[in-house]
Amino acid sequence: MSPLRSLALVQGAITLCWVIYDLVLPQLLDDAGLDLAWVRSLLVIENLLILVVEPVMGALSDRWRQALALRWSLITGSALLAATMFVALPWLAIARQSELFVGLVVLWSVSMAVFRSPVLSLLGQMGGTLPLPVAASVLTLSSGIFGALRPVAQNFLLSLGAVPTFGAGAIVLGGAILYLRRVSPAMPEAEDAPTSVPWERSLGLAAVGMAMGTGTRLLLGMVVPEQIAQILATPWVPWGVAGMILWQAGWAVVGGWVATRWGLGRSLRITAVAVGLLCGGLLVNQSLGWLIMLLVMAGFGVIANGMIPLALTVMPARWGGLGIGTYLGAFGGAIALWGVVMPTGEAVYLLSMVAFLSVAAMLYRLP
């Protein structure tokens, strides 16, 4: 397996663990004797921690560019720790150790954030001679395949039981990270990390991350399910949502090649404007809602695929981890915000339109 495919497997394993966690968490809270209201509280706490942890660990990984052993220790150590805690979560819930369970949930989400930015910053090295957007499309496709399980797999995972389900997720994550370490190519010797941080570029990526997180939360959490429910009978809605996620992931591959031909920034700006206007169009023309949704999700796949390459391109090469961490942290912060503030009705579509148009405007200001 090539290094890029191994990195894509890690990305898929991360997605799989979060899918398992999100779908089975209500059962674990019930097993631990906790109210289901904790679901939203934990979501907010986790994403607020990610807002801080992602950029810090990305910057730390950049500082350790010369000490490759330390960098890989950070990645493998935190990933294996996260896998170990993942196995322990259902056991604590079954034992009704509610305080320990909540504490371990928070620590697990922090551990997952610790290695994500450092490992994604390896995209350029793992992709070899491929342009960054094309290499990123392999990761996006992997994440989309595993992410499509979220709408349809809950009953199946619950039927397996929490212990084997979490154990399987931990094995996939641990095995993927160890295999990536084994097949990773030798890294070129890095220069000393610069003492000055490119704050302006970092803050620009944070603004893009906030807008993108807002658009993603509203689009995938509210707009898509609502539109699918108007087209399909209720039992088929989850399958329709899963199909949309796969459709979006497939368009990431197209987006990678388009970005190579048009230029990454240009393709992202044009697509973000189109997606924003189409979200507004859903309010105007409901009869063509299914066609507009296909176009929206195709464009969203192009935008989502370009964000990690954007962070690596905008930031100096020696601060790639910070760039990715800043973007992902702000993205998670927006997810936390819209987990508390829940718009309804036409406001969802209008805010989605504003979010994606804001992404385009902020991309224009990036160097």
Side-chain angles (χ1 to χ4, degrees):
M1 184 182 294
S2 70
L4 178 59
R5 291 176 182 174
S6 300
L7 183 60
L9 180 60
V10 171
Q11 176 74 348
I14 293 172
T15 304
L16 176 63
C17 286
W18 279 108
V19 167
I20 291 171
Y21 170 78
D22 289 343
L23 295 182
V24 186
L25 179 61
Q27 177 186 311
L28 294 184
L29 289 172
D30 184 63
D31 291 341
L34 295 169
D35 192 272
L36 291 182
W38 274 94
V39 171
R40 180 175 296 182
S41 300
L42 286 172
L43 173 66
V44 173
I45 293 170
E46 289 160 0
N47 282 291
L48 288 176
L49 286 171
I50 288 172
L51 178 63
V52 177
V53 173
E54 291 272 15
V56 169
M57 301 314 299
L60 182 60
S61 173
D62 291 331
R63 290 287 186 182
W64 286 352
R65 280 174 61 88
Q66 279 191 310
L68 293 179
L70 287 176
R71 195 179 197 187
W72 275 110
S73 295
L74 172 68
I75 293 172
T76 56
S78 56
L80 293 177
L81 178 62
T84 302
M85 289 190 287
F86 202 59
V87 172
L89 284 174
W91 290 105
L92 287 178
I94 293 170
R96 301 187 75 82
Q97 299 292 321
S98 56
E99 294 84 0
L100 289 176
F101 173 75
V102 172
L104 192 65
V105 163
V106 174
L107 289 175
W108 173 76
S109 63
V110 170
S111 295
M112 292 290 284
V114 164
F115 73 89
R116 185 166 63 158
S117 295
V119 80
L120 289 178
S121 69
L122 300 175
L123 177 64
Q125 292 92 336
M126 299 298 174
T129 59
L130 289 175
L132 280 175
V134 177
S137 67
V138 181
L139 274 63
T140 306
L141 186 60
S142 174
S143 183
I145 291 172
F146 284 100
L149 296 173
R150 188 187 304 269
V152 298
Q154 185 169 25
N155 290 336
F156 173 71
L157 293 178
L158 291 176
S159 69
L160 293 178
V163 171
T165 301
F166 274 69
I171 291 172
V172 172
L173 177 61
I177 206 74
L178 290 174
Y179 190 76
L180 175 66
R181 177 68 183 94
R182 178 184 174 188
V183 302
S184 63
M187 303 296 181
E189 184 175 347
E191 301 175 12
D192 290 334
T195 56
S196 60
V197 177
W199 290 112
E200 183 178 355
R201 298 185 180 199
S202 183
L203 292 174
L205 285 171
V208 172
M210 286 292 291
M212 189 64 183
T214 298
T216 300
R217 177 68 178 87
L218 296 174
L219 180 63
L220 298 185
M222 302 178 192
V223 174
V224 172
E226 181 176 312
Q227 289 295 315
I228 294 296
Q230 295 177 14
I231 300 170
L232 299 178
T234 301
W236 292 100
V237 169
W239 292 98
V241 174
M244 279 292 183
I245 294 173
L246 290 174
W247 169 260
Q248 166 238 313
W251 273 89
V253 178
V254 177
W257 290 106
V258 170
T260 303
R261 293 181 63 87
W262 287 9
L264 179 60
R266 181 186 179 193
S267 65
L268 289 177
R269 290 192 297 269
I270 292 173
T271 309
V273 169
V275 170
L277 294 177
L278 286 168
C279 286
L282 286 169
L283 287 174
V284 178
N285 195 331
Q286 290 291 329
S287 62
L288 294 177
W290 62 272
L291 177 60
I292 296 175
M293 275 308 307
L294 288 175
L295 294 174
V296 166
M297 291 302 287
F300 178 73
V302 173
I303 302 170
N305 181 71
M307 287 299 149
I308 297 302
L310 176 76
L312 292 173
T313 303
V314 167
M315 297 292 282
R318 291 169 292 182
W319 287 111
L322 174 62
I324 293 174
T326 301
Y327 168 77
L328 292 176
F331 185 95
I335 296 294
L337 171 64
W338 295 105
V340 176
V341 181
M342 303 290 288
T344 57
E346 293 184 355
V348 175
Y349 295 85
L350 292 174
L351 287 171
S352 299
M353 178 178 68
V354 171
F356 286 108
L357 292 178
S358 298
V359 169
M362 292 168 187
L363 287 171
Y364 186 78
R365 295 181 61 86
L366 285 175

